[in-house]
Amino acid sequence: MATGGLSIIQTMLSKLPQSEQKLAEYILQNPHEVVNSTVQELSTSAQTSGAAVIRLCKSLGIKGFQDLKIRIAGDLMKTVEQGYRDIEPSESLYRIVEKTTSNSIQTIRDTSEIIDHDNLKHAITLMLNAKTVHFCGVGASNIVAADAQQKLLRINKGATAFTDMHLVATLIANADENDIVFAISFSGETPEVVNILKLAKERGVKTIGLTHYGQTTVSSLCDATLFTSYSNEAPFRSAATSSRLAQLYMIDILFLGMASEQYEETVQYIDNTRSAIKSMTDRYK
C-alpha cells in the first residue's frame, strides 16, 4: 500500500498557495474523514471547491484524489511517531543520544515514504548504462558525493566527485555521450550545482538530481530526480545532520539497486577490491 500522504502534505504545507493550504490543513486535522470522502464531500466539509482538491493533489505530486486517500489510509495504519525533537541547553548525553536516534529514524522513514519507485528505477537504469557518473555537491552534500563515488568505484563503475566546480565544468565540457552528471543539493537551489546542471543540459549530458521533495531548480533540470524529506526540522539538525543522513540513505538504495541488477558481477568486483585492500594492509604488518 502506498504511504506518505500526510508526510507529503506536512512537507509541502508552507509552499502551497493560500487556498490549498486551507484544504491541506483540514486534511491533516481530519485524515479519517478524508479516506471515506468523495472529492465533493471533502470540498464541502473544507469549504472549498472540488477543483481545489484536484489542484492540491497536483501540487503534492500525487496522481489524484484516490491516490491521496490510499496514501493517507496507509499513514493511519502506522504507529504514531514521536516526530523531530531539538536538543535543549545543558541537555544530558542520554537525552541527546535518544533524540538523535529518534530524529535519524524519523528522517529515513519520512524519506522512504516519498520515494517514487518508477523514478528510482529510471535513475538506476541511467547509472547502470553510464560510462562515468560525475557527482557534484557543495558543503555537506559533497560528503555524500564522495561516498557515492567510492561505492561506484568498488563495483568498477567510473565515478568522480570533485569539490572544485571548475574541474567539474571541465569534465562536462569533454564528457562522453554516456556520462551522467549526478547533482546533490538539499535546497535544490545551490548556485554552483544549478550552473553545472545547466552546462550539462547544454552539452546534452544526462542528469540525475538528489534534492528535497517539491519543485526546485535542480529537479527541473534533471532527467531523473530523487527526493529526500523536507520536514519541519529542529534548528540544530537542519543543515548538518538530517539532510546528509537522508541523502546517504538514498545513495545506499541506488547502490543496492544497481548491485541487484548485476548481482554476480557486483559480488566479484567487491571481492576483488576487498582482496586488493587486504594486500595493501598486509604489506605493513
Side-chain angles (χ1 to χ4, degrees), residues 81-85 87 93-109 237 245:
E81 305 296 341
Q82 177 67 48
Y84 296 107
R85 296 178 292 167
I87 63 171
L93 286 177
Y94 176 85
R95 293 288 291 166
I96 290 173
V97 170
E98 182 185 52
K99 288 183 177 180
T100 302
T101 302
S102 175
N103 290 342
S104 297
I105 292 170
Q106 189 74 40
T107 295
I108 291 174
R109 181 175 287 114
R237 303 183 61 255
L245 184 62

Side-chain angles (χ1 to χ4, degrees), residues 17-281:
Q18 189 171 0
S19 59
E20 293 176 28
Q21 275 189 20
K22 176 185 175 183
L23 175 58
E25 288 169 351
Y26 182 87
I27 293 172
L28 290 174
Q29 294 166 6
N30 304 277
H32 290 87
E33 177 188 328
V34 173
V35 297
N36 295 307
S37 297
T38 64
V39 169
Q40 188 58 50
E41 288 170 342
L42 173 60
S43 62
T44 300
S45 297
Q47 298 181 334
T48 184
S49 66
V53 176
I54 304 304
R55 287 197 302 271
L56 174 62
C57 292
K58 185 175 180 180
S59 296
L60 297 175
I62 291 175
K63 295 176 183 178
F65 184 56
Q66 189 62 31
D67 185 22
L68 177 61
K69 291 203 296 182
I70 291 172
R71 290 171 179 269
I72 291 174
D75 288 332
L76 295 177
M77 292 172 64
K78 298 183 304 179
T79 304
V80 176
E81 305 296 341
Q82 177 67 48
Y84 296 107
R85 296 178 292 167
D86 201 2
I87 63 171
E88 299 172 3
S90 302
E91 188 92 78
S92 70
L93 286 177
Y94 176 85
R95 293 288 291 166
I96 290 173
V97 170
E98 182 185 52
K99 288 183 177 180
T100 302
T101 302
S102 175
N103 290 342
S104 297
I105 292 170
Q106 189 74 40
T107 295
I108 291 174
R109 181 175 287 114
D110 286 350
T111 296
S112 74
E113 292 178 348
I114 59 174
I115 293 175
D116 182 322
H117 290 262
D118 291 336
N119 212 23
L120 176 62
K121 177 66 175 177
H122 185 204
I124 289 171
T125 300
L126 286 174
M127 293 178 71
L128 285 170
N129 294 332
K131 178 181 179 182
T132 305
V133 181
H134 303 294
F135 293 96
C136 66
V138 176
S141 292
N142 185 255
I143 297 172
V144 180
D147 176 76
Q149 179 197 26
Q150 71 89 16
K151 280 183 167 62
L152 263 59
L153 291 177
R154 289 201 68 184
I155 59 172
N156 200 33
K157 173 66 71 176
T160 68
F162 292 106
T163 56
D164 187 330
M165 290 299 154
H166 289 181
L167 283 177
V168 178
T170 300
L171 285 171
I172 295 172
N174 298 297
D176 185 273
E177 62 179 4
N178 294 317
D179 284 359
I180 285 177
V181 171
F182 194 122
I184 305 172
S185 168
F186 179 70
S187 70
E189 304 296 339
T190 308
E192 299 91 333
V193 174
V194 168
N195 288 335
I196 287 296
L197 284 173
K198 288 179 178 178
L199 177 61
K201 300 300 283 186
E202 290 171 6
R203 298 287 177 172
V205 180
K206 289 184 173 61
T207 53
I208 299 175
L210 177 56
T211 183
H212 75 72
Y213 189 85
Q215 185 61 37
T216 66
T217 303
V218 165
S219 64
S220 70
L221 290 169
C222 291
D223 297 299
T225 306
L226 304 171
F227 296 107
T228 58
S229 65
Y230 189 48
S231 303
N232 295 321
E233 301 170 343
F236 280 99
R237 303 183 61 255
S238 59
T241 57
S242 61
S243 62
R244 187 192 69 245
L245 184 62
Q247 289 168 347
L248 289 169
Y249 167 70
M250 289 304 302
I251 293 298
D252 283 349
I253 289 174
L254 278 172
F255 174 75
L256 293 174
M258 294 173 67
S260 178
E261 289 289 322
Q262 48 181 29
Y263 187 82
E264 296 300 330
E265 299 97 314
T266 298
V267 170
Q268 186 60 58
Y269 288 138
I270 290 177
D271 284 345
N272 291 344
T273 56
R274 186 179 293 117
S275 296
I277 292 170
K278 185 176 185 301
S279 69
M280 291 292 292
T281 56

